[in-house]
Amino acid sequence: MIDTTNTKSLETAAHPENLRRVAIEPVSRVEGHGKVTLLLDESNRVQQVRLHIVEFRGFEKFIQGRPYWEAPVMVQRLCGICPVSHHIAASKAMDMIVGATLTPTAEKVRRLMHYGQMLQSHALHFFHLCSPDSLFGFDSDVAKRNIVGVVAAYPDIAKQGVLLRKYGQEVIRVTAGKRVHGTGSIPGGVNKNVSLEERDYLLKDIDQMVEWSKAAVGIARQLFEQNLDLYNNFGTFKAHTLNLVRADGAMDLYHGGLRARDMDGKTLFDHYDYSHYWDEIFEDVKNWSYMKFPFLRRLGPDDGWYRVGPLSRVTQCDFIPTPLANQARKAFMAFNGGSATGATLGFHWARMIEMLHAAELIRELLHDPDLQGNELVNIGQRQERGVGVIEAPRGTLIHHYKVDEHDQITRCNLIVSTTHNNQAMNEAIRVVALQYFDGREITEGLLNHIEVAIRAFDPCLSCATHALGKMPLEVEVLDAAGERLSSLSRSSDGTFSALA
Amino acid sequence: MSDTFHLDGVEVKFEHGQTVLQAALAAGKYIPHLCYHPEFKPHGSCKLCTVKIGSRTAASCTMPAETGLEIESGIEELNALRRTLVQMLFAEGNHFCPSCEKSGNCMLQALGYDLEVHTAGFRHQYPDRPLDASHPDILLDFNRCILCELCVRASGEVDGKNVFALSGRGATKHLIVNAASGQLKDTDIALGDKAMQVCPVGVILKKRIGFSIPIGERRYDQRPISAQALDDAPRKPAGAKP
């Protein structure tokens, strides 16, 4: 395993002048738009590697002044892949604003929606976005390395991926009103229950979904078994972790306290009340990315970065409270002396364990009569501040709002799963660069290795850019020949300076 | 006394005092409209109900029905103009259906669907008018106002309060409230007022309702506006005894 301290120098080259720049733009088969830049010397040795997110959103700004009950519907437009995550995180924050204690029906309908989301998003990632790499090889023929190629070569696997995703979308439609961008979750509860007819419709296929999810865990395991050395070491580095856990230490994707552990497994904090997350988590900005760099305050901006998402959740929870997924977790943790638990490609295996967990939870919930309850909303004493945290498919998602006495939002901060993983993704690609690039001729297949490392995190780049107001910018004026005539830089503290 | 005119070649009976639009709706014939409301005096401002009478065009909500008129309404020439009018209304305001709580209950949106308005057509003006959230129970989002004056008419004619008015001229015309402070909290508006019920878009909103009606149960989820407008139409001429 490569010591991560070796990668620190790769964030910024000591002497960037005269280095050759190679850009991967856009990074493909991820959500949103990003690019990777590499600076190489004349011997093709890597001197600098950066993942840049080049989109900009701005939701925190334009939601100011809007009524609070609009937020759960508006913010989900951040994304079309896991809008339910934002819908529910914002709703949880607004639950605090309206002083709500959810009724059993409201919480269970929301949970069902969230598990449908987890199922469809994980299926999309594993089957549509990643399987071309894992089934054909990282540097296989680029013309076939896509979902169409998978359909041609592995029609059964492709079909299962499509139908698993479809089922998750149907769970969302039943609970939220639409497959994408529904309105089911509202401050203090939900706007509909699940009718018996809707329940029976979903029950019809759930056993098949559990079976296919189980088989998908098997595929993920097989990939490790077939190429142990590659899967254990590819882009692998040690990282601190962050995730929600239930009061008894179980995995809980909807609610819990925050658990942070350092890279050696030592607990930094546990069952931490997220309603004042800012005492433990802070955000740094860098002048080369629109995405912020969150860190654990107690460890500081340089060493406090961490990893969120399926790999952290599966390895750091004490157990998974559904039998098949828990069994799968035990096998994952024990595999080859635990080697997969720290591997970057272990994300895929962990993701499939979570997909199985989501399918089991959906089956369990569908048999719960509370879903047909009629007590949908429960409102209490109004509060000024609301924080909502959930475990979204890609990791911990934080929504934080302040609302004034006229019901208007005055402040909003979103720390999105992919943002938490910003530094971790940069580490992963720097490790891959060290492992594969140094001195070699650059080919498409070699560049895809970088993308494979990014894809392991299932990043959603469109969700992740929230450096509003602190956004560092550089403006360059070039002449017709591309030579720089003048330039101006704005740093993260807002000061301007002319670049040399 | 009953007489007839022809609408798109079909004979429509009318009674004295009815406008073309009133007679058409009472007879089960839909003509698209937005600022017309069966309980209020016709206004003739949105022009969506424009019909062709020979070589002339007229707003059918203000045009008195007359015997023997040959009227065209459901023709592509007029529907294309109606689409343009709807596009202009969308471009003038901040009609962001994805996050608007009136979505599914909004007449402008429903008309857009019914007339198959698929594109923006015009550059959006993105007005930036502050919300009036001063009232404890009522919110005003002026950025969605289409200047139909239904709230003005309801507040004046039914509620007897004159809470709303239009101010300014031409492109600067905008909705105001009748208070020295300019704020809704200083008016005598109440939740039960007629003015609270008539806004066809998402300007006048009861607070904390938001998205509490699920998708599928909102007004225009059920049936298109062309069908629902007929349900609302009085079967007797305005002012006639039941």
Side-chain angles (χ1 to χ4, degrees):
Chain A
M1 187 179 290
I2 290 180
D3 185 349
T4 54
T5 53
N6 288 342
T7 66
K8 279 191 177 170
S9 62
L10 291 184
E11 179 176 324
T12 303
H15 300 286
E17 60 280 4
N18 299 326
L19 293 177
R20 186 160 68 96
R21 180 175 177 273
V22 175
I24 305 172
E25 185 182 19
V27 177
S28 65
R29 283 186 274 130
V30 297
E31 318 298 349
H33 194 101
K35 70 174 177 179
V36 172
T37 56
L38 301 138
L39 294 184
L40 308 164
D41 64 17
E42 65 270 19
S43 308
N44 275 344
R45 282 192 302 267
V46 177
Q47 302 295 323
Q48 178 178 303
V49 186
R50 290 173 173 177
L51 168 64
H52 309 256
I53 311 303
V54 294
E55 310 186 35
F56 176 63
R57 306 300 272 173
F59 273 74
E60 284 100 329
K61 185 68 186 172
F62 62 69
I63 204 166
Q64 286 175 8
R66 301 306 307 175
Y68 70 79
W69 53 87
E70 232 178 54
V73 171
M74 181 187 271
V75 292
Q76 61 178 338
R77 294 280 166 172
L78 275 163
C79 187
I81 301 301
C82 72
V84 168
S85 306
H86 295 291
H87 188 48
I88 291 180
S91 297
K92 285 183 73 177
M94 294 312 160
D95 292 345
M96 279 177 74
I97 295 288
V98 300
T101 306
L102 292 193
T103 66
T105 298
E107 182 174 330
K108 285 172 186 176
V109 171
R110 275 197 200 169
R111 280 182 178 270
L112 184 60
M113 192 191 305
H114 187 42
Y115 302 147
Q117 161 68 52
M118 198 62 77
L119 184 78
Q120 72 84 11
S121 179
H122 279 0
L124 171 75
H125 183 258
F126 187 73
F127 291 96
H128 296 63
L129 304 182
C130 278
S131 71
D133 296 321
S134 47
L135 295 176
F136 297 131
F138 302 169
D139 48 7
S140 60
D141 178 5
V142 69
K144 289 182 186 158
R145 203 195 312 135
N146 51 53
I147 186 64
V148 180
V150 175
V151 171
Y154 303 95
D156 287 344
I157 291 178
K159 185 182 153 195
Q160 287 173 19
V162 169
L163 293 179
L164 275 162
R165 175 149 201 261
K166 183 185 173 193
Y167 184 86
Q169 295 286 60
E170 282 298 286
V171 173
I172 295 168
R173 182 185 64 75
V174 162
T175 49
K178 279 165 72 186
R179 288 178 193 88
V180 183
H181 300 141
T183 62
S185 183
I186 59 177
V190 293
N191 67 14
K192 74 184 288 289
N193 65 10
V194 176
S195 69
L196 287 172
E197 190 186 7
E198 288 168 332
R199 181 202 66 180
D200 292 344
Y201 165 70
L202 293 175
L203 270 176
K204 197 161 46 75
D205 294 323
I206 186 60
D207 288 342
Q208 181 67 78
M209 298 306 136
V210 172
E211 280 311 303
W212 284 344
S213 300
K214 214 170 131 187
V217 175
I219 296 172
R221 180 191 175 102
Q222 222 175 7
L223 292 170
F224 264 83
E225 287 171 342
Q226 286 169 351
N227 212 334
L228 192 59
D229 194 40
L230 172 72
Y231 272 76
N232 274 343
N233 297 317
F234 181 85
T236 291
F237 57 94
K238 291 181 84 172
H240 314 315
T241 59
L242 180 81
N243 54 292
L244 287 178
V245 285
R246 204 166 72 180
D248 60 358
M251 174 183 279
D252 193 333
L253 302 168
Y254 177 80
H255 191 68
L258 287 167
R259 170 178 283 178
R261 287 193 172 139
D262 73 9
M263 58 178 71
D264 299 316
K266 195 181 118 213
T267 300
L268 297 168
F269 52 84
D270 206 358
H271 304 294
Y272 186 79
D273 176 4
Y274 62 64
S275 63
H276 46 100
Y277 69 90
W278 54 86
D279 288 336
E280 289 290 353
I281 298 165
F282 213 64
E283 295 171 284
D284 195 16
V285 287
K286 299 194 180 188
N287 63 5
W288 51 268
S289 178
Y290 287 158
M291 187 152 70
K292 288 183 184 176
F293 289 80
F295 61 92
L296 301 173
R297 269 187 141 161
R298 60 178 69 202
L299 300 180
D302 288 335
D303 300 317
W305 58 272
Y306 49 89
R307 183 165 55 196
V308 299
L311 190 61
S312 298
R313 291 189 293 243
V314 169
T315 58
Q316 301 307 316
C317 72
D318 298 337
F319 65 100
I320 298 180
T322 54
L324 295 174
N326 196 43
Q327 205 181 337
R329 176 183 179 270
K330 282 181 184 166
F332 173 71
M333 301 294 281
F335 177 78
N336 192 41
S339 69
T341 60
T344 290
L345 293 176
F347 257 106
H348 299 306
W349 190 346
R351 194 170 284 119
M352 289 303 93
I353 293 170
E354 286 192 344
M355 185 169 81
L356 175 59
H357 177 48
E360 286 186 283
L361 285 167
I362 291 169
R363 181 160 67 181
E364 206 174 276
L365 268 175
L366 286 175
H367 290 287
D368 191 324
D370 279 342
L371 285 184
Q372 282 80 50
N374 290 313
E375 289 182 12
L376 303 181
V377 177
N378 187 22
I379 302 289
Q381 185 71 36
R382 257 295 299 275
Q383 306 294 319
E384 187 189 14
R385 188 196 299 275
V387 179
V389 178
I390 61 159
E391 285 294 336
R394 290 154 185 82
T396 314
L397 170 63
I398 301 174
H399 277 227
H400 177 190
Y401 303 88
K402 276 181 87 174
V403 177
D404 68 12
E405 69 276 20
H406 301 304
D407 300 322
Q408 289 175 285
I409 294 167
T410 57
R411 187 178 181 279
C412 167
N413 189 35
L414 311 175
I415 310 181
V416 178
S417 320
T418 297
T419 312
H420 291 292
N421 275 333
N422 192 0
Q423 184 63 28
M425 289 189 293
N426 273 285
E427 290 295 321
I429 61 174
R430 284 167 198 156
V431 172
V432 169
L434 287 173
Q435 287 173 327
Y436 291 89
F437 276 60
D438 261 4
R440 289 175 64 188
E441 192 190 336
I442 303 293
T443 62
E444 188 281 330
L446 198 54
L447 291 176
N448 187 49
H449 281 64
I450 295 273
E451 295 190 74
V452 168
I454 296 169
R455 280 183 208 121
F457 291 82
D458 187 14
C460 185
L461 307 180
S462 48
C463 285
T465 52
H466 299 280
L468 193 79
K470 296 180 176 179
M471 191 165 58
L473 289 169
E474 280 183 21
V475 179
E476 289 186 330
V477 179
L478 308 177
D479 66 14
E483 294 297 315
R484 190 166 75 182
L485 296 177
S486 64
S487 60
L488 188 67
S489 160
R490 188 184 77 171
S491 70
S492 56
D493 62 7
T495 55
F496 287 86
S497 57
L499 293 172
Chain B
M1 181 182 143
S2 177
D3 219 327
T4 61
F5 61 81
H6 281 96
L7 176 62
D8 291 329
V10 178
E11 193 173 75
V12 174
K13 283 187 183 173
F14 70 92
E15 295 188 31
H16 184 70
Q18 280 186 311
T19 63
V20 169
L21 181 62
Q22 284 168 339
L25 293 174
K29 306 290 174 206
Y30 176 67
I31 297 174
H33 57 273
L34 192 51
C35 71
Y36 168 77
H37 188 291
E39 295 176 43
F40 300 107
K41 199 175 145 193
H43 195 245
S45 62
C46 80
K47 304 298 180 194
L48 274 161
C49 69
T50 297
V51 291
K52 271 185 95 174
I53 305 167
S55 59
R56 289 188 299 144
T57 56
S60 62
C61 70
T62 55
M63 175 79 191
E66 287 177 30
T67 305
L69 289 178
E70 292 292 334
I71 299 172
E72 293 178 290
S73 172
I75 54 175
E76 181 49 30
E77 177 191 345
L78 286 174
N79 282 334
L81 290 170
R82 289 173 182 140
R83 273 194 284 276
T84 304
L85 287 171
V86 170
Q87 285 176 323
M88 289 164 80
L89 289 171
F90 268 102
E92 267 182 5
N94 292 341
H95 299 284
F96 306 143
C97 303
S99 60
C100 178
E101 62 189 272
K102 197 72 183 244
S103 185
N105 293 312
C106 171
M107 282 184 75
L108 182 64
Q109 182 195 44
L111 266 173
Y113 280 124
D114 204 55
L115 290 166
E116 300 186 336
V117 178
H118 297 306
T119 59
F122 297 92
R123 193 176 296 280
H124 286 274
Q125 295 185 354
Y126 299 118
D128 187 13
R129 306 173 193 128
L131 270 61
D132 185 341
S134 61
H135 193 282
D137 298 315
I138 301 164
L139 175 79
L140 298 179
D141 187 341
F142 296 109
N143 298 300
R144 297 169 180 159
C145 183
I146 57 169
L147 308 176
C148 68
E149 288 199 291
L150 274 171
C151 59
V152 178
R153 287 179 271 166
S155 187
E157 293 174 25
V158 180
D159 304 330
K161 293 182 177 177
N162 290 314
V163 168
F164 297 103
L166 293 188
S167 178
R169 297 190 67 78
T172 65
K173 187 179 268 193
H174 60 284
L175 186 67
I176 56 168
V177 298
N178 185 10
S181 66
Q183 292 194 307
L184 194 66
K185 71 178 170 65
D186 296 322
T187 69
D188 52 359
I189 194 168
L191 280 176
D193 287 358
K194 189 72 183 172
M196 285 299 301
Q197 300 159 21
V198 293
C199 182
V201 289
V203 178
I204 306 173
L205 300 163
K206 186 179 173 190
K207 280 187 172 181
R208 296 175 285 279
I209 297 295
F211 296 86
S212 56
I213 304 174
I215 293 168
E217 293 178 23
R218 302 168 306 182
R219 180 171 168 85
Y220 298 113
D221 291 334
Q222 316 286 330
R223 286 190 302 148
I225 190 169
S226 51
Q228 302 219 23
L230 299 177
D231 299 343
D232 295 343
R235 300 294 149 180
K236 292 279 181 185
K241 288 178 184 169

